[in-house]
Amino acid sequence: MTSAVLAASGGVKQVICISWGTKYGAPFINRLYAMVKRNITPPFTFTCFTDDRAGLNPEILCEDLPPLDVENMPVRTKGIWPKGRLWGPKLGSLSGPVLFLDLDLVIVGSLDSFFEVGEPDDVILSRNQTTPFERLGQTSLFRFPVGKLVPLQETFRADPQGVADKYEFEQRFVTRNAPGGATFFPRRWVLHFRQDCRWPFPLNYFLTPRLPANARVILFPRDFHPQFAVEGRFGLKGRAAPPLDHISHMFDPERRRNKSLFRYLRHYIRPTPWVADHWRE
């Protein structure tokens, strides 16, 4: 039986992403599309809003970046405020509920359930795992009906820096101001790699990061790409090293890069093959 959510989009699961600049580009978009295709029951569409279509899989539906009409974007902010382009009255030729996915997440299970919960008009976010005592959503994966978030775009456009200073992250702005209120997907569907998959010290030296059974999607924090997990690098400046090699350098200031001793020891992961198994075209 077709859910009310799917009925509102003509029975088609509509997945979208957005890309601008050169940080990610075609390799990330193509991987994301391939993961969606492997983990969704047709019919579905995958639409990328982008300023550069070069190298993209021809099966991907491409649309120009939606307008935002903000002359001066916020500066010195933690949020990814260009995502506000998605809050406008139109998203290409799409209508009804759409599921947005960030380019650097890893899909490890079926996406079908994300189109089966809630009502067509709902704004549903994944839960933010980094602030467990705050009722905060995560816009790395969220579902919303096209046009529902126009009031957010209007508020942001009126005072971009003020909004960014008040909320810091665009996901907090969406959570607090979504028309009709925001709801959340089940907690265990969308997990955070560092918080839900890697082991705490000292188990991180002995055990490969785990993949929880109920997970559908794994999120990766900013500047920690899935490839780093595959290689066993903790972050952008991390080095892949055997456990004993990492431990042996704990008194080397250059290797520790001013981290405390405990933080240095805690910031270690073993290579994670299951990420490579899923994060591929």
Side-chain angles (χ1 to χ4, degrees), residues 176-209:
R176 298 284 178 267
N177 297 279
T183 58
F184 302 97
F185 290 117
R187 160 75 172 84
R188 304 307 299 177
W189 286 7
V190 184
L191 302 181
H192 189 288
F193 179 81
R194 283 184 179 170
Q195 295 188 5
D196 296 304
C197 301
R198 75 181 181 100
W199 295 92
F201 175 80
L203 295 177
N204 56 324
Y205 287 88
F206 301 97
L207 301 175
T208 298

Short mmCIF file of all heavy atoms in Angstrom, two decimals, residues 176-209:
data_model
loop_
_atom_site.label_atom_id
_atom_site.label_comp_id
_atom_site.label_asym_id
_atom_site.label_seq_id
_atom_site.Cartn_x
_atom_site.Cartn_y
_atom_site.Cartn_z
N ARG A 176 14.33 24.83 15.36
CA ARG A 176 13.57 25.76 16.21
C ARG A 176 12.46 26.49 15.46
O ARG A 176 11.50 26.97 16.08
CB ARG A 176 14.53 26.81 16.80
CG ARG A 176 15.61 26.24 17.70
CD ARG A 176 15.06 25.87 19.07
NE ARG A 176 16.11 25.27 19.88
CZ ARG A 176 16.33 23.96 19.97
NH1 ARG A 176 15.56 23.11 19.31
NH2 ARG A 176 17.30 23.50 20.73
N ASN A 177 12.57 26.59 14.13
CA ASN A 177 11.66 27.47 13.40
C ASN A 177 10.86 26.79 12.29
O ASN A 177 10.12 27.48 11.58
CB ASN A 177 12.46 28.64 12.80
CG ASN A 177 13.11 29.50 13.86
OD1 ASN A 177 12.47 30.37 14.46
ND2 ASN A 177 14.40 29.27 14.11
N ALA A 178 10.97 25.50 12.12
CA ALA A 178 10.21 24.83 11.07
C ALA A 178 8.72 25.07 11.27
O ALA A 178 8.19 24.86 12.36
CB ALA A 178 10.50 23.33 11.09
N PRO A 179 8.02 25.55 10.24
CA PRO A 179 6.57 25.78 10.37
C PRO A 179 5.85 24.51 10.81
O PRO A 179 6.04 23.44 10.24
CB PRO A 179 6.16 26.18 8.95
CG PRO A 179 7.41 26.75 8.34
CD PRO A 179 8.53 25.92 8.91
N GLY A 180 5.06 24.63 11.87
CA GLY A 180 4.36 23.47 12.40
C GLY A 180 5.20 22.62 13.34
O GLY A 180 4.71 21.64 13.91
N GLY A 181 6.47 23.00 13.50
CA GLY A 181 7.35 22.25 14.37
C GLY A 181 8.05 21.11 13.65
O GLY A 181 7.56 20.60 12.64
N ALA A 182 9.21 20.72 14.16
CA ALA A 182 9.98 19.62 13.57
C ALA A 182 9.80 18.36 14.39
O ALA A 182 9.66 18.40 15.61
CB ALA A 182 11.46 19.99 13.51
N THR A 183 9.78 17.22 13.71
CA THR A 183 9.79 15.92 14.37
C THR A 183 11.06 15.18 13.95
O THR A 183 11.86 15.70 13.18
CB THR A 183 8.53 15.10 14.02
OG1 THR A 183 8.47 14.92 12.59
CG2 THR A 183 7.27 15.81 14.48
N PHE A 184 11.22 13.94 14.46
CA PHE A 184 12.48 13.25 14.25
C PHE A 184 12.27 11.81 13.79
O PHE A 184 11.32 11.14 14.21
CB PHE A 184 13.31 13.24 15.54
CG PHE A 184 13.62 14.61 16.07
CD1 PHE A 184 12.84 15.17 17.07
CD2 PHE A 184 14.65 15.36 15.54
CE1 PHE A 184 13.11 16.44 17.55
CE2 PHE A 184 14.93 16.63 16.01
CZ PHE A 184 14.15 17.17 17.02
N PHE A 185 13.20 11.37 12.94
CA PHE A 185 13.24 9.96 12.59
C PHE A 185 13.74 9.18 13.79
O PHE A 185 14.39 9.74 14.68
CB PHE A 185 14.17 9.74 11.40
CG PHE A 185 13.67 10.28 10.09
CD1 PHE A 185 14.34 11.30 9.42
CD2 PHE A 185 12.51 9.76 9.52
CE1 PHE A 185 13.87 11.79 8.22
CE2 PHE A 185 12.03 10.25 8.31
CZ PHE A 185 12.71 11.26 7.66
N PRO A 186 13.47 7.87 13.85
CA PRO A 186 13.96 7.06 14.97
C PRO A 186 15.47 7.21 15.15
O PRO A 186 16.24 7.23 14.19
CB PRO A 186 13.58 5.64 14.56
CG PRO A 186 12.34 5.82 13.74
CD PRO A 186 12.59 7.08 12.95
N ARG A 187 15.86 7.31 16.39
CA ARG A 187 17.26 7.60 16.76
C ARG A 187 18.26 6.65 16.12
O ARG A 187 19.34 7.06 15.67
CB ARG A 187 17.37 7.53 18.30
CG ARG A 187 18.77 7.33 18.88
CD ARG A 187 19.60 8.59 18.80
NE ARG A 187 20.86 8.44 19.52
CZ ARG A 187 21.97 7.89 19.02
NH1 ARG A 187 21.98 7.42 17.79
NH2 ARG A 187 23.06 7.80 19.75
N ARG A 188 17.97 5.36 16.05
CA ARG A 188 18.95 4.38 15.62
C ARG A 188 19.05 4.27 14.10
O ARG A 188 19.90 3.54 13.59
CB ARG A 188 18.64 2.99 16.20
CG ARG A 188 18.53 2.95 17.70
CD ARG A 188 19.74 3.55 18.41
NE ARG A 188 20.99 2.85 18.11
CZ ARG A 188 22.17 3.22 18.56
NH1 ARG A 188 22.27 4.31 19.31
NH2 ARG A 188 23.25 2.53 18.25
N TRP A 189 18.21 4.96 13.35
CA TRP A 189 18.28 4.90 11.89
C TRP A 189 19.48 5.68 11.35
O TRP A 189 20.10 5.26 10.38
CB TRP A 189 17.01 5.48 11.27
CG TRP A 189 15.81 4.60 11.37
CD1 TRP A 189 15.70 3.43 12.08
CD2 TRP A 189 14.54 4.83 10.77
NE1 TRP A 189 14.43 2.92 11.95
CE2 TRP A 189 13.69 3.75 11.15
CE3 TRP A 189 14.02 5.83 9.95
CZ2 TRP A 189 12.37 3.67 10.72
CZ3 TRP A 189 12.70 5.74 9.53
CH2 TRP A 189 11.89 4.66 9.91
N VAL A 190 19.76 6.83 11.95
CA VAL A 190 20.81 7.71 11.44
C VAL A 190 21.82 7.91 12.57
O VAL A 190 21.52 8.53 13.58
CB VAL A 190 20.24 9.07 10.98
CG1 VAL A 190 21.34 9.92 10.36
CG2 VAL A 190 19.12 8.87 9.97
N LEU A 191 23.03 7.39 12.37
CA LEU A 191 24.03 7.39 13.44
C LEU A 191 25.25 8.22 13.06
O LEU A 191 25.49 8.51 11.89
CB LEU A 191 24.46 5.95 13.74
CG LEU A 191 23.34 4.99 14.16
CD1 LEU A 191 23.90 3.62 14.46
CD2 LEU A 191 22.58 5.53 15.37
N HIS A 192 25.99 8.60 14.06
CA HIS A 192 27.18 9.43 13.93
C HIS A 192 28.40 8.52 14.08
O HIS A 192 28.54 7.81 15.07
CB HIS A 192 27.15 10.50 15.01
CG HIS A 192 28.20 11.55 14.90
ND1 HIS A 192 29.53 11.33 15.18
CD2 HIS A 192 28.10 12.87 14.57
CE1 HIS A 192 30.21 12.45 15.03
NE2 HIS A 192 29.37 13.40 14.64
N PHE A 193 29.30 8.55 13.08
CA PHE A 193 30.40 7.58 13.08
C PHE A 193 31.24 7.65 14.35
O PHE A 193 31.50 6.63 14.99
CB PHE A 193 31.30 7.81 11.86
CG PHE A 193 32.46 6.85 11.80
CD1 PHE A 193 32.28 5.56 11.33
CD2 PHE A 193 33.72 7.24 12.23
CE1 PHE A 193 33.35 4.67 11.29
CE2 PHE A 193 34.79 6.36 12.19
CZ PHE A 193 34.60 5.07 11.73
N ARG A 194 31.67 8.84 14.73
CA ARG A 194 32.55 8.94 15.89
C ARG A 194 31.84 8.56 17.18
O ARG A 194 32.44 7.97 18.08
CB ARG A 194 33.12 10.35 16.01
CG ARG A 194 34.25 10.65 15.04
CD ARG A 194 34.81 12.03 15.28
NE ARG A 194 35.90 12.34 14.38
CZ ARG A 194 36.44 13.54 14.25
NH1 ARG A 194 35.97 14.55 14.96
NH2 ARG A 194 37.44 13.75 13.42
N GLN A 195 30.57 8.90 17.30
CA GLN A 195 29.87 8.68 18.56
C GLN A 195 29.23 7.30 18.66
O GLN A 195 29.14 6.74 19.75
CB GLN A 195 28.81 9.76 18.76
CG GLN A 195 29.41 11.15 18.92
CD GLN A 195 28.38 12.18 19.31
OE1 GLN A 195 27.23 11.86 19.55
NE2 GLN A 195 28.79 13.43 19.36
N ASP A 196 28.77 6.77 17.53
CA ASP A 196 28.01 5.52 17.58
C ASP A 196 28.75 4.31 17.04
O ASP A 196 28.31 3.17 17.27
CB ASP A 196 26.71 5.69 16.77
CG ASP A 196 25.78 6.73 17.37
OD1 ASP A 196 25.43 6.60 18.55
OD2 ASP A 196 25.42 7.68 16.65
N CYS A 197 29.83 4.52 16.32
CA CYS A 197 30.52 3.40 15.66
C CYS A 197 31.91 3.13 16.23
O CYS A 197 32.30 1.97 16.39
CB CYS A 197 30.64 3.65 14.16
SG CYS A 197 29.06 3.88 13.32
N ARG A 198 32.68 4.15 16.50
CA ARG A 198 34.04 3.92 17.00
C ARG A 198 33.98 3.56 18.48
O ARG A 198 33.08 3.94 19.21
CB ARG A 198 34.92 5.13 16.77
CG ARG A 198 34.69 6.30 17.69
CD ARG A 198 35.61 7.45 17.35
NE ARG A 198 35.42 8.57 18.25
CZ ARG A 198 36.22 8.83 19.28
NH1 ARG A 198 37.23 8.04 19.55
NH2 ARG A 198 35.98 9.89 20.05
N TRP A 199 34.98 2.82 18.93
CA TRP A 199 35.04 2.37 20.31
C TRP A 199 35.77 3.40 21.16
O TRP A 199 36.67 4.09 20.70
CB TRP A 199 35.78 1.03 20.39
CG TRP A 199 35.05 -0.08 19.70
CD1 TRP A 199 35.20 -0.48 18.40
CD2 TRP A 199 34.04 -0.91 20.26
NE1 TRP A 199 34.36 -1.52 18.11
CE2 TRP A 199 33.63 -1.81 19.24
CE3 TRP A 199 33.44 -1.00 21.52
CZ2 TRP A 199 32.64 -2.78 19.44
CZ3 TRP A 199 32.47 -1.97 21.72
CH2 TRP A 199 32.08 -2.84 20.69
N PRO A 200 35.40 3.50 22.45
CA PRO A 200 36.11 4.41 23.35
C PRO A 200 37.49 3.87 23.69
O PRO A 200 37.77 2.68 23.53
CB PRO A 200 35.20 4.47 24.58
CG PRO A 200 34.52 3.13 24.59
CD PRO A 200 34.30 2.79 23.13
N PHE A 201 38.35 4.74 24.17
CA PHE A 201 39.67 4.34 24.65
C PHE A 201 39.52 3.40 25.86
O PHE A 201 38.69 3.65 26.73
CB PHE A 201 40.46 5.59 25.05
CG PHE A 201 41.80 5.29 25.67
CD1 PHE A 201 42.89 4.98 24.87
CD2 PHE A 201 41.96 5.31 27.05
CE1 PHE A 201 44.13 4.70 25.44
CE2 PHE A 201 43.19 5.03 27.62
CZ PHE A 201 44.27 4.72 26.82
N PRO A 202 40.26 2.30 25.95
CA PRO A 202 41.34 1.85 25.06
C PRO A 202 40.89 0.86 23.99
O PRO A 202 41.71 0.35 23.24
CB PRO A 202 42.30 1.18 26.04
CG PRO A 202 41.39 0.54 27.03
CD PRO A 202 40.23 1.50 27.20
N LEU A 203 39.56 0.58 23.90
CA LEU A 203 39.09 -0.43 22.95
C LEU A 203 39.33 0.00 21.51
O LEU A 203 39.39 -0.83 20.61
CB LEU A 203 37.60 -0.70 23.17
CG LEU A 203 37.23 -1.35 24.51
CD1 LEU A 203 35.72 -1.50 24.62
CD2 LEU A 203 37.91 -2.70 24.68
N ASN A 204 39.47 1.33 21.28
CA ASN A 204 39.69 1.82 19.92
C ASN A 204 40.99 1.29 19.31
O ASN A 204 41.15 1.27 18.09
CB ASN A 204 39.67 3.35 19.88
CG ASN A 204 40.66 3.99 20.83
OD1 ASN A 204 40.91 3.49 21.92
ND2 ASN A 204 41.23 5.12 20.42
N TYR A 205 41.92 0.83 20.15
CA TYR A 205 43.18 0.28 19.65
C TYR A 205 43.08 -1.21 19.28
O TYR A 205 43.94 -1.74 18.60
CB TYR A 205 44.29 0.47 20.68
CG TYR A 205 44.74 1.90 20.79
CD1 TYR A 205 44.11 2.78 21.66
CD2 TYR A 205 45.78 2.38 20.00
CE1 TYR A 205 44.51 4.11 21.74
CE2 TYR A 205 46.18 3.71 20.08
CZ TYR A 205 45.53 4.57 20.95
OH TYR A 205 45.92 5.87 21.01
N PHE A 206 42.02 -1.85 19.73
CA PHE A 206 41.90 -3.29 19.54
C PHE A 206 40.75 -3.69 18.61
O PHE A 206 40.81 -4.74 17.96
CB PHE A 206 41.69 -3.99 20.89
CG PHE A 206 42.80 -3.76 21.87
CD1 PHE A 206 42.69 -2.78 22.85
CD2 PHE A 206 43.97 -4.50 21.81
CE1 PHE A 206 43.72 -2.55 23.75
CE2 PHE A 206 45.00 -4.29 22.71
CZ PHE A 206 44.87 -3.31 23.68
N LEU A 207 39.73 -2.86 18.53
CA LEU A 207 38.51 -3.22 17.81
C LEU A 207 38.23 -2.27 16.65
O LEU A 207 38.34 -1.05 16.79
CB LEU A 207 37.30 -3.22 18.76
CG LEU A 207 37.38 -4.17 19.96
CD1 LEU A 207 36.18 -3.97 20.87
CD2 LEU A 207 37.48 -5.62 19.50
N THR A 208 37.83 -2.84 15.51
CA THR A 208 37.40 -2.05 14.36
C THR A 208 36.07 -1.37 14.68
O THR A 208 35.20 -1.98 15.33
CB THR A 208 37.23 -2.96 13.14
OG1 THR A 208 38.48 -3.54 12.83
CG2 THR A 208 36.70 -2.19 11.94
N PRO A 209 35.88 -0.12 14.28
CA PRO A 209 34.58 0.52 14.51
C PRO A 209 33.43 -0.37 14.05
O PRO A 209 33.50 -1.03 13.02
CB PRO A 209 34.67 1.80 13.67
CG PRO A 209 36.13 2.15 13.71
CD PRO A 209 36.83 0.81 13.65
#
